[in-house]
Amino acid sequence: MKKFEIKDIESIRKLKNYTKRYSFLIILNILLALISSATASSPIALIKRLFDDGIIGGNEKDILYAAGAMILLAVVGAVLIYWNTILSTMISSSIYKNIVDDIFIKIQTLDMEYFSGTKTGELMVKVMNDPGNINTLIQETFNMVYEIFTAVILLGLAIYLDWKLTLGVLLVAPVLIISVRRYSSKLKSSGKERQEAIGTLNSKLQETLSGIRVIKAFATERTEIRDFKKKSLGLKKAEMRTARYNAKSSSITGGLNYIIMAMMLVFGGYRVLRGEHFTAGDFIAIVGAIGSMYTPVKRAISRYNNISVNIPSIGRVFEILEIEPGINDRENSINFEEFKNDIVFSDVEFSYKDSNEKILKGINLNVKKGETVALVGNSGGGKSTIVNLIPRFFDVTGGNITIDGIDIRDYKVKSLRKKIGIVPQETFLFAGTIISNIKYGNPEASEEDVIEAAKKANAHEFIGNLENGYETEIGERGVKLSGGQKQRIAIARAILENPQILILDEATSALDNESERLVQDALEKLMEGKTTFVIAHRLSTIENSDKIAVIQQGELKELGKHDELLQLNGIYSGLYNKSFKN
């Protein structure tokens, strides 16, 4: 139990940087809660006068005074509660926005290795659901403060009227406290389990939507449905555990309330009958105060349980916020202005974190400005890893890569990537218009520049045939376009960016013959005058390359021109005869 409490305190402390921005509003909100709870509780204090002096004493003025005061307090209390609620929502929603913004900003700084090891669905839960849970937690905390103030004021009023009777009937309170503490710890655990189950389910849904074409092609719908149902069952079980703990806590609270009221009626009624300076007004006021405590106490416990369920979300959010990206600008790093001479790989090695397996082993390669280098080899050999090291999507774990004699880690990351254009095998387009996608890498480009880039990419003609031309909405991931059309949009985007170094990752491998011809022609225009790394698919691209690097099992096995490598009658010759030769 103690372990949970320490962990909870540490989690809540992490919110300090967010809450201190709104310190004044939080203090004001607490004061409003105190005043509004005092106002809501005050009518109980008028009951004694209403009964003893008004009804039993026969004084009509006291009846009118008490009733009028109750109406006034009700109006004032309603206004205070309104503003208390508005202020609570303003604070919690502001903190929610700040957290979501910071998570999104943090995501932009994270290394590619983080994304390769994190499921999209789980990340979506941490970005959207967990901050939402923190929002709920903050609102519930403010509401619980109000309920606690109300309960304490009512208890104080009851003690003031008759402390012996009040304390006597509250002997069962320790049972209530113990049960609340017991089930709150269980709720924290089930809350964390619930969020993890939601993440798993979201990941499955994300994966299914992305791979729906493959699922249908292999007719594996039943398998996917069974797997999804299994994961959704896990979420249901977590939800049911949370509901059971909440239900047990609520049932104990409700039962104890009836016990307290029964004790109050017995002892209070007995004292009225004995006439021990205890009037009917005292009795009714204390019964009213203790009875009125039930609702705020019950709500406070319910809110405390909700807070317990949502506390794990703080830790999950800060799991992201506290990640330190490994790829950063070094101290005294410089801008990469212009590529002048060469790119050199010197004994380059690479392995993923927490893995002893070397993906690349001692790669040595010198690429002069303006050269085209084709990377060939079996799948999984390390070709994509090599090109991913150039823009520092990953950093070498051994050796170094230099551009113009300077280690690429000594360049500012953004300035380096701005000079590198990438056309991947699977083109990613953003939801929006065609023109916004083409201008993505160069937002300041004019419409004329966009059209010129589209013409060079062999995209202008099909864009012109669309109903809204360049203003056509292409849907999420460019779903309204064919593969070849998306690829040409991506090439137009790269042309407009005008990179000095170009990376083509099997950019035509998934296209039909006609689309491949158009895309290949566009790529050749894009490659003019640029230093290009090609993970090759098309024979003509390989044959015309200045250098061909044969990569197998993370090693550079052969290097040379097409004819030179054929004469070696080695690995490249075998690949050529098997995969490329018609």
Side-chain angles (χ1 to χ4, degrees), residues 519-531:
V519 170
Q520 186 63 36
D521 181 65
L523 287 173
E524 288 172 1
K525 294 175 185 175
L526 174 62
M527 291 165 61
E528 290 177 3
K530 294 179 177 62
T531 306

Side-chain angles (χ1 to χ4, degrees), residues 164-173 255-271 283 286-287 290:
K164 292 180 181 179
L165 177 59
T166 302
L167 295 181
V169 299
L170 291 180
L171 289 175
V172 295
L256 288 175
N257 173 69
Y258 287 113
I259 293 172
I260 289 172
M261 290 305 298
M263 293 173 67
M264 174 67 71
L265 291 172
V266 170
F267 297 141
Y270 177 75
R271 292 196 62 187
F283 175 62
I286 289 181
V287 170
I290 299 296

Side-chain angles (χ1 to χ4, degrees), residues 482-484 488 508-519:
S482 69
R488 280 176 277 166
T508 63
S509 63
L511 304 179
D512 57 63
N513 290 336
E514 177 62 21
S515 295
E516 183 178 0
R517 183 187 64 78
L518 291 169
V519 170

Side-chain angles (χ1 to χ4, degrees), residues 178-406:
I178 291 170
S179 66
V180 169
R181 288 169 64 86
R182 177 186 177 187
Y183 288 111
S184 69
S185 65
K186 294 180 180 293
L187 283 165
K188 292 163 197 166
S189 178
S190 66
K192 183 176 181 180
E193 184 182 352
R194 174 177 170 272
Q195 287 304 105
E196 289 173 351
I198 291 173
T200 300
L201 197 63
N202 278 8
S203 293
K204 180 62 184 177
L205 179 60
Q206 178 84 21
E207 182 181 66
T208 301
L209 294 175
S210 300
I212 192 67
R213 186 172 182 178
V214 176
I215 292 170
K216 290 189 175 296
F218 285 89
T220 55
E221 291 92 344
R222 287 183 178 272
T223 302
E224 295 299 324
I225 290 170
R226 280 197 301 270
D227 191 32
F228 187 85
K229 284 184 175 181
K230 182 179 178 181
K231 289 177 170 59
S232 66
L233 180 61
L235 176 58
K236 177 186 174 182
K237 288 178 178 178
E239 294 275 14
M240 288 304 300
R241 273 189 286 274
T242 301
R244 279 197 295 271
Y245 297 142
N246 261 321
K248 288 178 181 179
S249 178
S250 297
S251 62
I252 291 172
T253 305
L256 288 175
N257 173 69
Y258 287 113
I259 293 172
I260 289 172
M261 290 305 298
M263 293 173 67
M264 174 67 71
L265 291 172
V266 170
F267 297 141
Y270 177 75
R271 292 196 62 187
V272 171
L273 292 175
R274 292 287 297 270
E276 298 177 350
H277 304 291
F278 192 75
T279 67
D282 291 326
F283 175 62
I284 294 171
I286 289 181
V287 170
I290 299 296
S292 298
M293 279 178 59
Y294 171 69
T295 298
V297 168
K298 182 180 179 182
R299 287 177 179 171
I301 292 171
S302 177
R303 298 189 194 288
Y304 182 75
N305 288 340
N306 285 338
I307 291 168
S308 299
V309 169
N310 290 311
I311 278 179
S313 289
I314 301 175
R316 287 167 56 85
V317 162
F318 279 88
E319 282 177 7
I320 297 179
L321 293 178
E322 292 175 351
I323 294 174
E324 291 296 330
I327 298 177
N328 289 307
D329 290 334
R330 286 180 171 179
E331 190 176 352
N332 300 320
S333 58
I334 61 174
N335 282 319
F336 180 47
E337 301 289 352
E338 183 180 358
F339 178 38
K340 297 177 181 178
N341 298 311
D342 57 14
I343 301 173
V344 179
F345 291 71
S346 301
D347 296 320
V348 167
E349 294 185 349
F350 177 77
S351 57
Y352 290 104
K353 292 177 183 177
D354 304 321
S355 173
N356 295 323
E357 181 186 0
K358 289 185 177 180
I359 307 300
L360 297 178
K361 309 165 190 174
I363 300 293
N364 289 285
L365 180 64
N366 190 316
V367 181
K368 301 294 183 184
K369 181 180 179 179
E371 286 186 335
T372 295
V373 179
L375 304 175
V376 301
N378 295 327
S379 178
K383 304 185 297 296
S384 292
T385 303
I386 289 175
V387 297
N388 282 333
L389 293 176
I390 301 170
R392 292 189 67 195
F393 291 155
F394 303 92
D395 268 342
V396 299
T397 52
N400 62 70
I401 303 172
T402 62
I403 297 180
D404 295 339
I406 299 173

